[in-house]
Amino acid sequence: MRLTPKIPKIGESEGFSNSDLFELKGFGERLSNLIIKINEPLVIVLDGAWGSGKSTFIKQWSGVLREQRTPVIIFDAFENDYHEDAFFTLASQVIEQAQKILGKTRTTKQFIEQTKKVGRVLVPLTAKLMIRAASLGALSASDLTESSDEIMKTISGDVSETIERVLDDKIKKIESDKLAIESFRSHLARLAGAMSEKLADVTDKASHLPPLVIVIDELDRCRPPFSINLLERIKHLFSVEGVCFVLVTHLPQLAVAIRGSYGQDMNAERYLEKFYHLKLSLPDDTRTGGPKKKYEKYVDYLWSSMELATDDPHWDALLQGGIVNFSYSYSLSYRTIERVVSCVALVTAATSKRNLRWPPLIVGLCVMKVENPSLYERVKNGVLEWEDAFKFLNMTPWNDQAAYDFYYRSWKFALSKNLSNEGWEEQYFSELHRYNLRRERIIPFMIGYIEELFQTKS
């Protein structure tokens, strides 16, 4: 048994051939067709909430691109956000991929040289900021400019002549930096074309080649300064013909980071729009009232991956069915479902057939703990009313009368102060009698499984 699912192993060129757990193959093929046909610099945002399956999709979709002989780079922004400037780490991955495809050709070497030149343009600013931080503010930015040095050297000379010369130097420096950046962009476009041409193995120079696709994953998990820096570097340095970026993120979360850096009055959504051309979302009919089959398929996958099957198939089926119904009625993300299943796994590990364990209560409590912690605290403290529990269960969308009755009766029996003597209560009292347990102790007993794992006494 495991408390977390195994990370699916997806080969570099595997695509969706071995598994399409989230049924996104069709969407991936359409996205590939779009990118291959576009003839201009393109930045696409793949927007989705945390735990919606974006990273798994990207790995599989990248396999499809490789099958189509399209050069692709996956850049994990979160893994690289300890760097001060995103330019260097992103450029290094482009170089690594170019050397892998082309080898150490003249085109690759020229791009490396242009990268170094742009690096020299960018490094002074970073160095100045580091020196200022190290000096605890004793030095200002102007203290570190060439103009200050020149003025100090010639303070007794002709001031107007010195200022004129310094301004000339500044203008030349700006022009030089601009040329370095333009040359970098030109060489990047040339390098991307060379990689595509090599993979496609075409001889007709007029043939339309797919772009170099650079996927930026986990953008919303980065330190805000790094994510902003990365967006700006992409826009000003890497957005060239023959290169397509796919930014994998959750835009609302990224907007929070923007406002954290620039102030709460910042129109973060409008600010982010200048960095991309097209926004897409993963299709997901499970979150728009579609069929339950995706949830059933995913819960079944988790049961297998986490090795949760027991020697009691009826118990397993009741747990899985309850998790699927809650996932459907609450449109839970896949990551949230994982956490619920992990919670249920703890109970499974701590109990056996000999223990009193009611699936409606255990599944409901685990969902409550993950999805609504404040309500879970109320039930832990013994102050949750049956009416509030009924609202939380949200069973109407289940479209499963047997499951509805099972959950309705179990929770009402455990929480209602006055049972209505509908005829089914006798069976429940009989079950409690076997365990010498009072009705008001059912919920604390079930919570004990979750909180203390090996609690054996009521």
Side-chain angles (χ1 to χ4, degrees), residues 43-79:
V43 179
I44 297 174
V45 164
L46 183 61
D47 184 32
W50 181 77
S52 59
K54 300 189 301 296
S55 293
T56 298
F57 166 76
I58 283 300
K59 291 177 182 177
Q60 294 179 306
W61 178 64
S62 297
V64 172
L65 292 176
R66 294 187 184 100
E67 288 175 351
Q68 298 172 342
R69 306 190 70 79
T70 299
V72 58
I73 296 170
I74 297 184
F75 178 86
D76 191 318
F78 182 62
E79 283 186 358

Side-chain angles (χ1 to χ4, degrees), residues 104-223:
K104 295 182 179 180
T105 62
R106 182 183 178 190
T107 304
T108 306
K109 292 177 181 177
Q110 288 177 339
F111 179 74
I112 293 173
E113 289 304 313
Q114 297 305 316
T115 299
K116 291 177 182 177
K117 290 181 180 179
V118 172
R120 286 193 287 271
V121 172
L122 300 176
V123 164
L125 175 60
T126 303
K128 290 170 188 176
L129 293 174
M130 291 175 65
I131 292 171
R132 179 167 171 77
S135 66
L136 300 178
L139 298 177
S140 67
S142 62
D143 294 326
L144 300 169
T145 62
E146 295 88 346
S147 57
S148 295
D149 294 337
E150 292 293 335
I151 291 171
M152 291 301 294
K153 289 178 182 178
T154 60
I155 194 167
S156 59
D158 187 340
V159 174
S160 61
E161 182 181 336
T162 300
I163 293 175
E164 185 176 345
R165 179 159 48 85
V166 168
L167 290 175
D168 285 341
D169 290 343
K170 283 292 183 185
I171 291 171
K172 291 177 182 178
K173 178 69 165 53
I174 291 171
E175 290 175 347
S176 175
D177 292 350
K178 184 178 178 180
L179 287 173
I181 290 172
E182 289 176 351
S183 182
F184 170 83
R185 288 165 53 83
S186 176
H187 279 80
L188 174 59
R190 190 178 308 164
L191 186 71
M195 283 192 275
S196 294
E197 188 175 316
K198 176 75 171 180
L199 288 179
D201 194 23
V202 297
T203 55
D204 181 8
K205 299 296 183 181
S207 299
H208 175 64
L209 295 170
L212 165 64
V213 178
I214 303 178
V215 178
I216 308 294
D217 198 11
E218 305 282 15
L219 184 59
D220 50 334
R221 293 183 64 196
C222 297
R223 292 182 298 108

Side-chain angles (χ1 to χ4, degrees), residues 248-265:
V248 184
T249 189
H250 188 210
L251 283 176
Q253 184 60 41
L254 195 55
V256 171
I258 298 296
R259 282 191 286 270
S261 296
Y262 292 121
Q264 294 304 310
D265 294 333

